[in-house]
């Protein structure tokens, strides 16, 4: 699904546009002027649906040079290993995400509980991977003609990163906030409302046109206004509405 000349939505599950497997997060493709980069990987249950969406948009999977995994929750990280095997892409994630994914620590992402309540199939397993690049807050990666600035945004999960492209004024905010000024609050060991509020304040310092979240619909204009809306809610000592 083409969003702009360089941005595409190629994966999305039941909590989104239902393009691919129902358990997938939003998966974005960025055309960097030669190779392509993906943001997140879906749950990995049917990764071939993601590559099929790529082909519909005119991109061969072999063009994927990099894959940024924003955090270790299975709907975002589960497809990374399969996509790497299929394409040879270099996986990029935070050091905290790398630790979880290399160890396959399902408890760290509350996967056993999620299976019990039906958020994933009973036989679903965390698909471990070994990252090619570990990143930290403020790191900048040059891929093709675009810069990808890494922003640490814990709260929804302790290991989460967001990614900003200054040339396009695009923010990939993962599960920090969503259309309608919503958040994804959950009872989990690595969730922190205090850190989430601080992460929203960090994002408010960027000039954002398109705000591309991990679920629901992309915000295609005035993304900074939505970030300010959520920041204002937190500053008023209130909690934004929850998507889950």
């Amino acid at each position: 699904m083409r969003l702009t000349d360089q941005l595409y939505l190629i994966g999305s599950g039941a909590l989104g546009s239902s393009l691919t497997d129902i358990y997938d997060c939003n998966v974005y493709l960025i055309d960097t002027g030669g190779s392509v980069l993906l943001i997140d990987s879906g749950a990995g249950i049917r990764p071939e649906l993601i590559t099929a969406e790529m082909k519909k948009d005119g991109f061969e999977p072999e063009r994927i040079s990099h894959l940024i995994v924003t955090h270790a929750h299975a709907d975002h990280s589960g497809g990374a290993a399969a996509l790497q095997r299929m394409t040879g892409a270099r996986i990029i994630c935070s050091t905290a995400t790398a630790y979880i994914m290399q160890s396959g620590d399902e408890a760290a992402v509350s996967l056993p509980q999620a299976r019990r309540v039906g958020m994933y199939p009973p036989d679903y397993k965390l698909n471990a991977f070994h990252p090619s690049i570990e990143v930290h807050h403020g790191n900048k990666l040059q891929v093709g003609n675009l810069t990808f600035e890494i922003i640490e945004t814990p709260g929804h999960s302790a290991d989460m990163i967001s990614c900003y492209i200054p040339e396009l004024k695009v923010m990939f905010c993962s599960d920090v906030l969503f259309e309608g000024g919503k958040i994804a609050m959950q009872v989990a060991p690595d969730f922190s409302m205090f850190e989430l509020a601080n992460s929203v304040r960090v994002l408010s310092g960027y000039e954002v046109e398109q705000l591309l979240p991990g679920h629901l619909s992309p915000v295609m204009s005035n993304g900074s206004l939505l970030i300010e809306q959520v920041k204002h809610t937190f500053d008023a000592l209130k909690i934004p509405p929850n998507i889950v």
Side-chain angles (χ1 to χ4, degrees):
M1 179 188 296
R2 182 179 177 180
L3 303 177
T4 72
D5 286 346
Q6 291 181 266
L7 304 175
Y8 296 79
L9 180 67
I10 61 166
S12 188
L15 196 58
S17 302
S18 298
L19 282 178
T20 52
D21 190 84
I22 61 171
Y23 297 101
D24 287 343
C25 67
N26 289 348
V27 179
Y28 297 100
L29 179 150
I30 305 94
D31 183 356
T32 69
S35 65
V36 300
L37 181 147
L38 301 190
I39 302 289
D40 283 326
S41 65
I45 295 173
R46 292 188 290 170
E48 69 277 5
L49 297 182
I50 291 174
T51 55
E53 286 296 318
M54 285 186 63
K55 292 178 180 179
K56 288 180 186 178
D57 290 321
F59 297 95
E60 290 300 320
E62 292 75 18
R63 289 184 61 189
I64 303 173
S65 63
H66 297 79
L67 165 59
I68 295 178
V69 175
T70 61
H71 61 297
H73 287 173
D75 53 335
H76 292 256
S77 69
L83 288 172
Q84 186 181 49
R85 286 194 301 269
M86 294 163 68
T87 69
R90 303 178 75 188
I91 299 177
I92 301 166
C93 64
S94 70
T95 297
T97 298
Y99 175 80
I100 294 168
M101 297 309 301
Q102 289 181 106
S103 65
D105 186 357
E106 294 189 348
V109 292
S110 303
L111 186 54
Q113 298 94 317
R115 282 195 297 257
R116 282 199 298 271
V117 299
M119 293 177 65
Y120 295 97
D123 59 348
Y124 182 82
K125 303 294 183 183
L126 190 66
N127 299 304
F129 64 75
H130 294 277
S132 307
I133 303 172
E134 296 181 22
V135 291
H136 304 275
H137 184 80
N139 287 167
K140 295 181 180 180
L141 306 172
Q142 192 71 33
V143 182
N145 57 19
L146 297 175
T147 307
F148 294 82
E149 180 179 346
I150 303 301
I151 309 163
E152 292 181 357
T153 49
H156 173 77
S157 71
D159 62 318
M160 184 179 293
I161 56 174
S162 296
C163 185
Y164 181 65
I165 304 177
E167 295 91 345
L168 304 179
K169 298 180 182 177
V170 170
M171 180 69 75
F172 297 94
C173 62
S174 192
D175 288 356
V176 177
L177 72 160
F178 307 89
E179 64 169 329
K182 299 174 183 177
I183 62 170
M185 178 173 56
Q186 54 188 12
V187 180
D190 63 342
F191 177 84
S192 167
M193 190 69 76
F194 177 78
E195 287 193 330
L196 182 60
N198 281 338
S199 291
V200 172
R201 294 184 184 104
V202 170
L203 295 186
S204 71
Y206 290 81
E207 184 178 0
V208 178
E209 185 61 19
Q210 284 88 35
L211 182 70
L212 305 182
H215 299 282
L216 303 186
S217 297
V219 177
M220 296 309 298
S221 62
N222 298 316
S224 287
L225 291 179
L226 181 60
I227 297 171
E228 278 298 318
Q229 174 189 334
V230 178
K231 176 179 175 294
H232 177 76
T233 301
F234 278 126
D235 288 346
L237 304 182
K238 298 178 181 178
I239 297 175
N242 192 22
I243 69 166
V244 295

